[in-house]
Amino acid sequence: MSDSNSNSSNNAFKKCGLTQVLIFIAAIICGTGCSICSKTMMGLSGEGLSGTTEPFSKPIFQTLGMFVGMMFGLVMHGIVLWKKIPFPGYDVYHNSNEEQEKEEKGLMAHETTGLLNNNNNNNKKEQMTIPIWMYFFLVIPSIFDLGATALCMMGLRYLDVSIYQMLRGSGIIFVALMKQHVLRHPLYNFQWIGVGYNVISVILVGATALLNSSDESHPNVESGEALLGVLLVMTGAFVQALQFVFEEKVMTMDIPSPPLLLIGMEGLWGTVLCLAIVYPMAYYLPGDDHGSYEDPFNTWYMFVHSSTIQWSFVIYFVLIFGYNLFSVLVTFMLNSVWHAILDNFRPITVWATDVVIFYCITAGAFGEPITQYSWVQLLGMFVLLYGTAVYNAPNAGSILLEGKWVTLWMDCSPEYKEIKDEEKEAAVAAEWEERQASFKDRRGSSFIGERSPHISIHTQALRGLGTTHV
């Protein structure tokens, strides 16, 4: 690979260990439950303002519920900072606080003698608090999230659900391209191959749904409207990719945003935007909900007068927060491409869960039956797992492309060797830094400390400690 690739390899490749795998699985579980709960809420009914039973098909209300659920991240963010709870993305703030406390107690006074050390200590103190502008800066991913949701919802009006889901899954291409050309974090060739397998799996899943619902397509939609729907959904996928890449960037800046703060502020700004802009627009736009696209007064009336809708929303609230929490941690601990891979898992895990619900739990009352085309969807699941294992190389449990026929004679061995060599160099560098820190602590002790009162000026001069070296 080129020098630019080598310089950015640590950003393009992050080790996927047991912790990352568990967080990824937790995100899949929460995301699957969230999708099923959302689908279930769309099928519920309740008493409306007119006194008659109406379907509770309220996509904007669910979007608002998503943002409200994300705001709980602010509560967790405050608790983590207050109690100094170990949490991914908070090390720099915890370490800064600990160092300040030590300085206040005089335990690090011997390290403040030099001008350079004073500057370093000042920089550490600046890192202790999150700047005010960060709270306003995080309105950007909220706008991306809201815009992507709105564009995809508008496009869905002109498309089958199968085509919609297939087009949403193509967002991984935009994420990979922006990661390489915007963030300047080049991907390895084997990672591009893994992305390609993910795209193939999305096509297979979309094709399965298209075949199953071919007789339920929109007969009154003209070709021009279908093209408009495709453009809207593809634009929504692009905006969603912008959100993923922006989240990765904002969590890896010189002054990074902690993951919980990112989630919470996205939720806060998203809630404000929904209440101040989206809901007023939905109320005045013509539609089937008492003359509006979505009537917030009717939605609230139905919510208050139905315990089933209330409990469904509580479950949805918990699951949507869990999904957003774990998906942001996936972006933080791995990268934005992994976030896109996570989203591509959801259609398959939802389908598998629906099959289990149909045959094993509700005896056909709810869920989805197996059809003659389900084998194509099953094939898509295996392709997705295969592509993810290729992308995850050379970590344990991954698939290495070493020129064998089972990998279609593709050989990426030099890239795997490069990654392992860089890991060894990083381990040596980390060990050296640890030894330096240990030596610095020993020099700061009362026995051989810098300018220690227990050592005479003559002894310090003989050891080279009596004067400052330039």
Side-chain angles (χ1 to χ4, degrees):
M1 296 179 68
S2 64
D3 293 339
S4 62
N5 288 4
S6 298
N7 293 337
S8 302
S9 59
N10 290 334
N11 292 322
F13 174 80
K14 291 186 179 180
K15 193 174 183 63
C16 184
L18 178 61
T19 302
Q20 289 83 352
V21 170
L22 293 176
I23 289 177
F24 190 84
I25 293 174
I28 292 177
I29 293 174
C30 290
T32 301
C34 178
S35 296
I36 293 176
C37 187
S38 175
K39 181 180 177 181
T40 302
M41 286 179 65
M42 287 287 188
L44 295 177
S45 299
E47 181 184 351
L49 285 173
S50 60
T52 59
T53 301
E54 303 176 12
F56 192 73
S57 180
K58 312 290 184 181
I60 297 179
F61 178 75
Q62 289 197 19
T63 303
L64 176 62
M66 175 189 72
F67 285 124
V68 172
M70 292 172 67
M71 281 199 300
F72 187 69
L74 291 176
V75 178
M76 293 186 63
H77 168 73
I79 294 175
V80 168
L81 285 181
W82 178 38
K83 295 294 185 179
K84 298 181 182 178
I85 301 173
F87 198 88
Y90 284 82
D91 294 343
V92 60
Y93 300 104
H94 291 340
N95 291 340
S96 303
N97 290 334
E98 291 172 1
E99 289 171 0
Q100 185 187 29
E101 290 176 359
K102 289 180 180 179
E103 289 177 4
E104 291 174 352
K105 294 177 181 179
L107 298 179
M108 297 177 65
H110 63 277
E111 295 183 5
T112 62
T113 56
L115 177 61
L116 181 60
N117 285 335
N118 284 334
N119 291 337
N120 289 339
N121 289 334
N122 290 336
N123 290 337
K124 289 176 183 177
K125 290 180 181 178
E126 289 178 1
Q127 292 180 354
M128 288 175 51
T129 57
I130 299 171
I132 298 298
W133 60 262
M134 178 68 74
Y135 295 92
F136 296 93
F137 188 58
L138 294 179
V139 71
I140 298 176
S142 300
I143 295 174
F144 286 154
D145 197 357
L146 193 59
T149 303
L151 287 167
C152 291
M153 284 173 53
M154 288 188 292
L156 183 58
R157 297 175 60 185
Y158 306 108
L159 298 172
D160 290 315
V161 176
S162 57
I163 300 176
Y164 163 81
Q165 191 63 62
M166 181 173 59
L167 294 174
R168 283 294 302 269
S170 64
I172 188 174
I173 303 174
F174 299 126
V175 174
L177 289 173
M178 282 189 284
K179 183 172 176 61
Q180 175 143 334
H181 298 291
V182 178
L183 296 182
R184 302 296 182 183
H185 298 168
L187 301 182
Y188 290 98
N189 291 329
F190 70 86
Q191 292 177 319
W192 279 111
I193 294 172
V195 170
Y197 277 119
N198 270 262
V199 174
I200 293 173
S201 72
V202 171
I203 294 174
L204 290 173
V205 172
T208 305
L210 181 62
L211 291 170
N212 286 333
S213 61
S214 58
D215 58 337
E216 300 176 1
S217 58
H218 303 290
N220 298 325
V221 175
E222 300 179 357
S223 57
E225 292 178 334
L227 177 60
L228 175 62
V230 170
L231 292 176
L232 287 170
V233 176
M234 291 293 287
T235 305
F238 175 77
V239 175
Q240 192 86 68
L242 286 174
Q243 177 194 348
F244 293 167
V245 173
F246 184 89
E247 288 175 345
E248 179 178 354
K249 179 63 177 178
V250 81
M251 288 188 292
T252 55
M253 297 191 303
D254 293 336
I255 304 178
S257 169
L260 290 174
L261 177 65
L262 174 63
I263 297 170
M265 291 308 300
E266 278 190 36
L268 176 61
W269 287 117
T271 301
V272 171
L273 292 172
C274 271
L275 294 177
I277 299 176
V278 178
Y279 249 131
M281 290 177 59
Y283 181 70
Y284 288 106
L285 284 175
D288 300 329
D289 190 3
H290 295 262
S292 302
Y293 181 83
E294 185 170 325
D295 185 349
F297 303 104
N298 186 50
T299 301
W300 179 250
Y301 185 89
M302 296 179 68
F303 178 81
V304 171
H305 291 82
S306 174
S307 59
T308 303
I309 294 177
Q310 293 171 12
W311 279 110
S312 298
F313 180 78
V314 169
I315 297 173
Y316 175 78
F317 180 92
V318 174
L319 290 173
I320 197 65
F321 173 75
Y323 173 71
N324 282 284
L325 170 63
F326 291 122
S327 62
V328 167
L329 288 178
V330 166
T331 301
F332 173 76
M333 303 181 74
L334 295 170
N335 56 49
S336 51
V337 178
W338 275 105
H339 194 160
I341 293 174
L342 171 65
D343 276 0
N344 286 350
F345 264 91
R346 291 176 69 183
I348 293 177
T349 54
V350 169
W351 167 72
T353 305
D354 274 344
V355 170
V356 172
I357 292 174
F358 186 87
Y359 288 102
C360 302
I361 299 178
T362 63
F366 297 97
E368 181 178 339
I370 295 176
T371 67
Q372 58 179 331
Y373 302 111
S374 293
W375 66 271
V376 181
Q377 196 157 358
L378 188 62
L379 176 62
M381 180 178 69
F382 282 112
V383 172
L384 178 61
L385 293 174
Y386 182 84
T388 303
V390 169
Y391 185 91
N392 188 41
N395 294 313
S398 60
I399 295 176
L400 302 179
L401 304 178
E402 297 178 320
K404 300 178 182 179
W405 68 270
V406 292
T407 58
L408 301 179
W409 295 279
M410 289 182 286
D411 189 5
C412 297
S413 300
E415 295 181 339
Y416 301 143
K417 183 178 182 301
E418 180 182 346
I419 291 174
K420 291 180 180 179
D421 290 343
E422 290 177 355
E423 287 180 346
K424 291 179 181 178
E425 293 176 2
V428 171
E431 183 180 358
W432 172 247
E433 291 178 359
E434 184 178 353
R435 289 184 177 182
Q436 282 185 315
S438 176
F439 178 71
K440 186 176 181 180
D441 292 340
R442 289 199 301 270
R443 289 190 67 226
S445 68
S446 60
F447 180 67
I448 58 171
E450 184 173 331
R451 304 188 186 280
S452 171
H454 301 284
I455 303 178
S456 67
I457 187 67
H458 304 288
T459 305
Q460 292 184 26
L462 288 173
R463 293 181 180 179
L465 301 177
T467 58
T468 301
H469 296 280
V470 181

